[in-house]
Amino acid sequence: MPIDPYIPLLLGTVGLAALLPAQGAGADVASGASTAAIAFLFFLYGARLSTREALDGLKHWRLHVTVLVCTFVVFPVLGLAAGGLVPVFLTDPLYQGLLFCTLVPSTIQSSIAFTSIARGNVPAAICAGSFSSLAGIVVTPLLAAALLGGGTGGFSGDSLVKIVLQLLVPFLAGQVTRRWTGGFVARHRKVLGLVDRGSILLVVYTAFSEGMVQGVWHQVSPARLGGLLVIEAVLLAVMLALTWYGAKGFGFGREDRIAIQFAGSKKSLAAGLPMASVLFGAHASLAVLPLMLFHQMQLMVCAVIAKRRSRDPLPEPAPDDRAAPSRTEVGTGTRPG
């Protein structure tokens, strides 16, 4: 099963923060750079998202609503249910991190990749992931305010203001300036992708440095981490089953069910890490740990599922389907390049 090459970099960043945490003036510099990196990250998100594709994707609204419900309703309900496992299997800080993991939006890149491997509805996966990421900028902080208000991190009105200034405003700026910046972003996708990942590494270093200074890692034991892994494995299995069989119950075809399963069962590390840094402050290190573990787990499991789905026999098209639009014309109106 594949290991995301980015995971060793994240772990290395955590190790660097443990050995050489930013302190004093260095912590102030790291915090300021992290804030700027987060803003730039969401500016790029806004510049990349095609407004036209998003509007075209509304034609397949039932699928997108299903993914959004899985991401922002079913996942948080399961996260709340996990509260019954505190304090036997989870400490309260780890549970807060697990609950936060269930609140973040879905992924885009991996959902598209796995949907393509499994021969699913790729344009629908593109739009579903984009809608989820867009909604998450607003929905995730609101859910965090409602469900984590009294927990670790001390979510407050100031946190909501920070979310608006650091995430929503740069995203909207990216959308507004997309007419001038969209071409540049598209031409330099690979280089800017490295900037994306570098920004997230800076966020992780800053968060874990603050955690080391505050001594939060003394609250975690190997047994607790083992319990967290088991709980996340069960959570992922439940969501994979619900998205697959639930989509079948709602009458979706095979290609749409694949898109729903891969887009509706994932959580975005790229979106969740910056949000956690803003929301949790010094407690962000423990808050993002469940998300980092869940991210790798979902990649490994979904890679296996996608390969198995790719070997499924495709149904013969009915005579009436010859005049119907192909699946690649649903969602974006264009074939993926």
Side-chain angles (χ1 to χ4, degrees):
M1 291 186 288
I3 299 295
D4 184 355
Y6 195 48
I7 294 297
L9 288 176
L10 287 170
L11 295 177
T13 304
V14 173
L16 178 63
L19 295 174
L20 298 172
Q23 302 183 58
D28 294 335
V29 172
S31 178
S34 176
T35 299
I38 291 172
F40 183 64
L41 197 63
F42 277 81
F43 174 83
L44 290 179
Y45 290 163
R48 287 186 184 127
L49 179 61
S50 170
T51 306
R52 179 179 178 182
E53 287 185 355
L55 293 176
D56 288 343
L58 291 175
K59 298 175 183 177
H60 214 2
W61 64 270
R62 288 182 63 245
L63 184 149
H64 303 316
V65 169
T66 302
V67 171
L68 289 175
V69 169
C70 291
T71 303
F72 296 115
V73 178
V74 180
F75 250 120
V77 168
L78 294 176
L80 289 172
L85 301 175
V86 179
V88 178
F89 294 99
L90 294 173
T91 63
D92 187 64
L94 283 179
Y95 168 66
Q96 296 292 329
L98 177 65
L99 182 56
F100 173 75
C101 175
T102 66
L103 306 182
V104 303
S106 178
T107 62
I108 300 178
Q109 288 89 346
S110 61
S111 295
I112 296 170
F114 290 137
T115 299
S116 177
I117 292 172
R119 298 182 297 179
N121 192 336
V122 175
I126 295 172
C127 289
S130 299
F131 290 155
S132 179
S133 296
L134 178 59
I137 297 176
V138 177
V139 176
T140 297
L142 293 178
L143 288 174
L147 303 179
L148 297 171
T152 300
F155 189 93
S156 63
D158 290 340
S159 300
L160 189 59
V161 172
K162 289 181 180 179
I163 283 287
V164 171
L165 293 178
Q166 293 186 35
L167 307 185
L168 184 57
V169 170
F171 178 86
L172 294 177
Q175 277 283 283
V176 171
T177 61
R178 190 177 186 278
R179 176 180 177 182
W180 301 279
T181 61
F184 178 85
V185 170
R187 289 191 302 271
H188 299 84
R189 184 178 300 273
K190 291 184 178 180
V191 174
L192 292 176
L194 296 177
V195 173
D196 279 2
R197 296 199 160 199
S199 299
I200 293 173
L201 291 177
L202 178 58
V203 171
V204 170
Y205 175 75
T206 303
F208 277 85
S209 291
E210 292 181 352
M212 288 298 299
V213 173
Q214 296 291 331
V216 297
W217 281 103
H218 296 297
Q219 306 174 35
V220 183
S221 66
R224 296 293 190 184
L225 288 178
L228 175 62
L229 283 172
V230 172
I231 293 168
E232 291 195 324
V234 173
L235 176 63
L236 179 60
V238 170
M239 287 306 303
L240 287 170
L242 285 178
T243 50
W244 181 251
Y245 294 106
K248 181 179 180 180
F250 283 113
F252 288 99
R254 175 189 176 277
E255 294 178 343
D256 289 345
R257 290 170 66 194
I258 289 172
I260 290 171
Q261 183 179 52
F262 289 131
S265 63
K266 288 191 177 60
K267 291 297 177 180
S268 173
L269 186 68
L273 287 177
M275 290 183 182
S277 177
V278 176
L279 294 175
F280 290 91
H283 300 278
S285 54
L286 283 183
V288 302
L289 181 62
L291 179 59
M292 291 173 62
L293 295 176
F294 189 83
H295 171 80
Q296 180 57 41
M297 188 182 297
Q298 71 186 11
L299 292 182
M300 296 172 68
V301 174
C302 289
V304 175
I305 293 175
K307 291 178 181 178
R308 291 178 63 89
R309 295 263 187 266
S310 69
R311 296 192 290 267
D312 291 344
L314 295 178
E316 291 293 330
D320 294 341
D321 292 341
R322 295 175 182 175
S326 67
R327 65 177 173 86
T328 56
E329 295 172 338
V330 180
T332 63
T334 58
R335 295 181 180 274

